[in-house]
Amino acid sequence: MSRTLTERILHGNAGEYVDARVDRAYVHDGTGVLTLASFREMGVPIGIDPARISVLFDHICPANNGTTADLQRELRQYASSAGVLFSDCGGGICHQIMSEGCILPGEVVVGADSHSCTGGAFGAFATGVGATDMAAIWASGETWFRVPETIGISLEGTLSGGAEAKDVALNVVSRLGMEGATYAALEYTGPGAETIDMEGRLCICNMGVETGAKNALFYADPVCREYLAGYGHHVETQVPEDCSYREECIIDLDDIVPLVALPHRVDSTRPVADLAGTEVDQVLLGTCTNGRYTDLKRFAEMVRGSKVKVRTIVVPASASVLLRATEDGIIADLIAAGCMVVTPGCGPCLGIHSGVLGEGEVCLSTANRNFKNRMGVGGEIYLASPATAAATALTGSITEPEVFHA
């Protein structure tokens, strides 16, 4: 019987309940504190190989007050004593670090964060869970799932002009709605999927949860194989079967234009051209959606030799991204253009530090959420691609990237 990729990985049909061995389990500094508390309440030893657990500090890095510092110290000490994989402040965002050679095709990956679906870009089943569920995974190495139904999204054509993978992600959220794929799997296939690089796939899968999806994934193809080979992994490709989907959606990449999501809903999108001239106070380039090397490179290419008109914050997704961008001169170009480059991590995305908005201020962000008060009480957030963010930073108002596209 032909199955969707999610059904193949979980070894079950849609609607069935299955027990699954967890190949990779990870928490960040926020959920890790809660997971540790729940795990200690259970009073049991770790039942999973510590090498399959990662504790990755990213949300409030470096610590913004004494309470945060104390909690991080406790979790840091536990990670050291338990022998789990650990990344301290400055290492980068958990989802990005996990994408740097940690997740492999066919694996079951569970993170204590809603955007853990990012890892589906590698042909893995990747999803988020709460802290109590994660504590149970630490104790047993397993968890259970109801195998989700799958929505097939066939990509055709090729992106062109100022359109980027982020615009594809926003298009999908707009078409399905913020609840349109609740507990479903989003499976990306078609000839257009082969034209999306791995960083673009990570961006698209990252935003799957914004439709309510349980997970989102691409098949591991030659593009994926080449990417993982760079980290020393030699994997087999995954071939789609003639399976049945709950529903199917066709997206022609040739028709994708730069989009922007209006406050305060991710699925409330309009072409950037319709919002041209809307003034902003801040531009944010970064987060687990668009803080990768190619994002920084595209932004730097557009602002090189010019000066940004509004405060512009750049948050590399990981230390490796920051190092590569530094070696290639990208960081120097960003600083010369007037941008602020801050510690790799989540930064201002969750409204705690490194760029909180004031009452009535407007931010054009490359993040994945623009909920009310997310980046600061009374602030408004527009979501867009790195190219649109660069064009907007140069003018001080929402601007089509084609204006500056070479």
Side-chain angles (χ1 to χ4, degrees):
M1 177 180 177
S2 297
R3 290 178 169 179
T4 67
L5 185 53
T6 293
E7 291 173 329
R8 287 157 59 180
I9 295 172
L10 293 181
H11 303 292
N13 297 318
E16 295 179 346
Y17 289 85
V18 299
D19 293 319
R21 175 185 186 273
V22 175
D23 296 292
R24 317 281 174 184
Y26 66 99
V27 299
H28 53 66
D29 48 313
T31 57
V33 169
L34 300 173
T35 298
L36 179 57
S38 295
F39 180 69
R40 283 175 167 168
E41 286 182 6
M42 292 179 181
V44 297
I46 285 184
I48 185 176
D49 180 354
R52 287 156 56 194
I53 299 177
S54 295
V55 176
L56 313 160
F57 283 12
D58 63 4
H59 268 49
I60 310 177
C61 290
N64 61 344
N65 58 45
T67 299
T68 299
D70 288 341
L71 291 171
Q72 289 184 352
R73 178 182 60 192
E74 182 179 5
L75 184 55
R76 185 182 291 114
Q77 290 174 342
Y78 178 79
S80 176
S81 65
V84 303
L85 302 176
F86 178 67
S87 173
D88 211 330
C89 291
I93 303 174
C94 58
H95 312 303
Q96 174 61 23
I97 294 176
M98 294 301 294
S99 77
E100 295 175 349
C102 296
I103 298 175
L104 301 178
E107 291 188 332
V108 174
V109 181
V110 180
D113 184 274
S114 60
H115 289 105
S116 300
C117 52
T118 305
F122 299 103
F125 176 84
T127 193
V129 298
T132 304
D133 283 329
M134 182 57 72
I137 291 171
W138 284 13
S140 67
E142 299 180 348
T143 191
W144 63 271
F145 298 105
R146 175 166 61 84
V147 181
E149 296 179 302
T150 297
I151 297 175
I153 302 178
S154 179
L155 302 180
E156 301 179 354
T158 307
L159 291 172
S160 61
E164 297 184 301
K166 178 60 166 289
D167 300 304
V168 178
L170 289 173
N171 180 281
V172 171
V173 177
S174 178
R175 293 180 66 161
L176 296 178
M178 288 175 61
E179 298 177 350
T182 299
Y183 207 89
L186 302 183
E187 184 171 296
Y188 289 90
T189 61
E194 301 171 2
T195 70
I196 306 292
D197 63 19
M198 285 308 303
E199 298 200 340
R201 297 179 191 189
L202 288 163
C203 170
I204 292 171
C205 288
N206 175 277
M207 293 193 67
V209 72
E210 307 310 330
T211 68
K214 181 67 173 177
N215 65 302
L217 67 176
F218 282 74
Y219 281 78
D221 62 3
V223 174
C224 180
R225 287 189 62 190
E226 181 179 358
Y227 178 93
L228 289 173
Y231 290 97
H233 299 296
H234 301 285
V235 301
E236 298 296 324
T237 57
Q238 297 166 325
V239 180
E241 298 179 353
D242 186 20
C243 56
S244 297
Y245 296 118
R246 187 183 84 184
E247 60 182 277
E248 296 185 56
C249 176
I250 298 176
I251 296 178
D252 189 340
L253 299 179
D254 291 305
D255 294 335
I256 297 293
V257 299
L259 297 173
V260 60
L262 285 65
H264 300 283
R265 292 182 62 93
V266 185
D267 60 356
S268 178
T269 62
R270 299 261 297 278
V272 174
D274 291 355
L275 278 295
T278 302
E279 294 186 353
V280 305
D281 301 286
Q282 177 174 296
V283 169
L284 169 62
L285 172 68
T287 80
C288 58
T289 313
N290 284 124
R292 301 181 178 87
Y293 175 80
T294 53
D295 301 319
L296 271 62
K297 181 181 180 183
R298 179 69 176 274
F299 194 102
E301 288 172 345
M302 292 179 65
V303 302
R304 183 180 297 124
S306 301
K307 289 286 186 179
V308 297
K309 295 291 196 304
V310 293
R311 64 180 187 270
T312 301
I313 302 169
V314 177
V315 192
S318 72
S320 63
V321 170
L322 174 59
L323 180 60
R324 183 181 175 190
T326 300
E327 293 173 341
D328 291 350
I330 290 172
I331 298 301
D333 288 335
L334 293 171
I335 294 174
C339 303
M340 295 174 277
V341 181
V342 303
T343 304
C346 297
C349 177
L350 59 158
I352 295 179
H353 69 152
S354 298
V356 176
L357 297 179
E359 178 80 30
E361 288 195 313
V362 177
C363 179
L364 189 289
S365 170
T366 63
N368 42 41
R369 287 180 176 157
N370 59 350
F371 303 156
K372 189 174 183 179
N373 300 330
R374 179 173 174 84
M375 289 182 64
V377 176
E380 293 193 338
I381 309 165
Y382 290 83
L383 303 179
S385 70
T388 298
T392 299
L394 288 171
T395 62
S397 61
I398 295 178
T399 302
E400 289 185 89
E402 282 86 347
V403 173
F404 296 92
H405 188 263

